Amino acid sequence: MQKKLVVLAMLVLVGLTSCEKEVEKQPLPNGIREVTILESIQVKDYTYIEVSENDNNFWIAVPSMPVEKGQSLYFSKSLEMKNFKSPTIDKAFESILFVEDIRTVAPGVEQPAQITQHPKIETSGKITISLSPVSDGKTVEQVFAQSETLSGKIIKVRGKVTKFNEGIMDRNWIHIQDGTGNNDDFDLLVTSTDIVKLGDIVVVQGVVAVNKDFGSGYTYGVLIENAKVTIEKGS
């Protein structure tokens, strides 16, 4: 009787081993990254997630979604932002990936996968400031309101630097405000090769672009490109 039990146990063990081999994970398609969740921070529009990939820990940002520690996520499209500070959670990230095509299931697995498209990177909250427009220039609010007629034209705008990200896609990304505008027309994006600091009062001169698509889901209704930046007052 005891020998029969031993044989039965061995057969069960062999059967379990065979099952494990059958469900062995298949290689991911080229370009697909798999990460494991270490911790997460939920806010209104975003979920900030610390993840691990091949023993390398880093942060990603995705549209708000429920996640759990230890869960696997998959993606292929992302934009790195260096020295990014989230105004929502008042946390600075030395580097963070804004992910467009986050999935909860590996591509190719026959199971409904959650795929969430990424909104544009959050802007700074509106600051309290009142700057007069530069001579023959525009206010931030006017740039948004007149964007269609200004498209392709060179303009000037005076503003205060509220966010600065350096060296992304071979350009620097500057957000300025002048106290005008409300809702979605108070924060103006400017791209330039010039260097500024948070709090600088600047005059930017560049070309107005409308409905600009940088790829990976990052589109902007209006911005000023290839701007020359003159610092009027340092921070």
Side-chain angles (χ1 to χ4, degrees):
M1 182 65 179
Q2 187 174 3
K3 289 184 178 180
K4 290 182 178 180
L5 290 175
V6 172
V7 172
L8 180 60
M10 292 180 64
L11 290 174
V12 171
L13 180 60
V14 171
L16 290 174
T17 304
S18 299
C19 290
E20 288 178 358
K21 289 183 179 179
E22 291 177 2
V23 298
E24 184 177 340
K25 294 174 66 174
Q26 298 297 314
L28 293 172
N30 290 337
I32 300 297
R33 303 175 64 175
E34 178 182 4
V35 296
T36 303
I37 296 174
L38 300 177
E39 66 169 298
S40 62
I41 303 173
Q42 296 281 3
V43 295
K44 180 181 178 181
D45 297 318
Y46 282 81
T47 303
Y48 295 95
I49 310 172
E50 186 180 17
V51 298
S52 176
E53 179 186 41
N54 300 323
D55 297 324
N56 179 34
N57 298 351
F58 56 95
W59 285 86
I60 65 174
V62 302
S64 185
M65 62 183 291
V67 295
E68 297 181 358
K69 183 177 180 179
Q71 179 182 2
S72 293
L73 297 174
Y74 306 85
F75 67 92
S76 63
K77 300 177 182 179
S78 63
L79 176 66
E80 182 183 18
M81 299 288 283
K82 294 183 178 180
N83 300 316
F84 173 79
K85 183 174 181 179
S86 167
T88 307
I89 60 175
D90 193 28
K91 179 178 176 64
F93 300 90
E94 183 177 344
S95 172
I96 186 169
L97 298 182
F98 281 81
V99 175
E100 176 190 356
D101 58 340
I102 196 69
R103 294 171 176 257
T104 57
V105 177
V109 176
E110 294 185 0
Q111 179 179 345
Q114 178 177 343
I115 305 176
T116 311
Q117 294 300 316
H118 211 299
K120 70 178 183 179
I121 297 172
E122 61 178 318
T123 60
S124 303
K126 187 174 182 180
I127 63 174
T128 301
I129 191 173
S130 180
L131 294 177
S132 59
V134 66
S135 176
D136 70 2
K138 300 288 184 180
T139 66
V140 170
E141 185 178 32
Q142 287 172 334
V143 175
F144 281 94
Q146 303 170 21
S147 60
E148 293 299 330
T149 57
L150 293 176
S151 180
K153 297 181 179 179
I154 298 175
I155 66 168
K156 295 179 181 179
V157 182
R158 173 183 282 129
K160 183 174 183 177
V161 177
T162 57
K163 181 182 294 185
F164 177 67
N165 293 106
E166 184 177 356
I168 300 174
M169 293 191 289
D170 299 321
R171 70 202 81 187
N172 300 326
W173 302 67
I174 306 167
H175 287 260
I176 62 172
Q177 297 183 31
D178 62 2
T180 64
N182 295 287
N183 299 323
D184 295 326
D185 61 354
F186 64 85
D187 187 283
L188 180 63
L189 173 64
V190 179
T191 64
S192 175
T193 57
D194 294 330
I195 303 292
V196 297
K197 299 191 299 293
L198 290 179
D200 284 351
I201 304 298
V202 299
V203 173
V204 301
Q205 179 174 342
V207 180
V208 176
V210 176
N211 296 324
K212 182 72 175 185
D213 187 353
F214 290 99
S216 295
Y218 296 94
T219 59
Y220 292 86
V222 58
L223 72 153
I224 297 179
E225 290 193 296
N226 304 317
K228 173 63 180 176
V229 181
T230 302
I231 300 175
E232 291 191 332
K233 181 180 179 182
S235 57

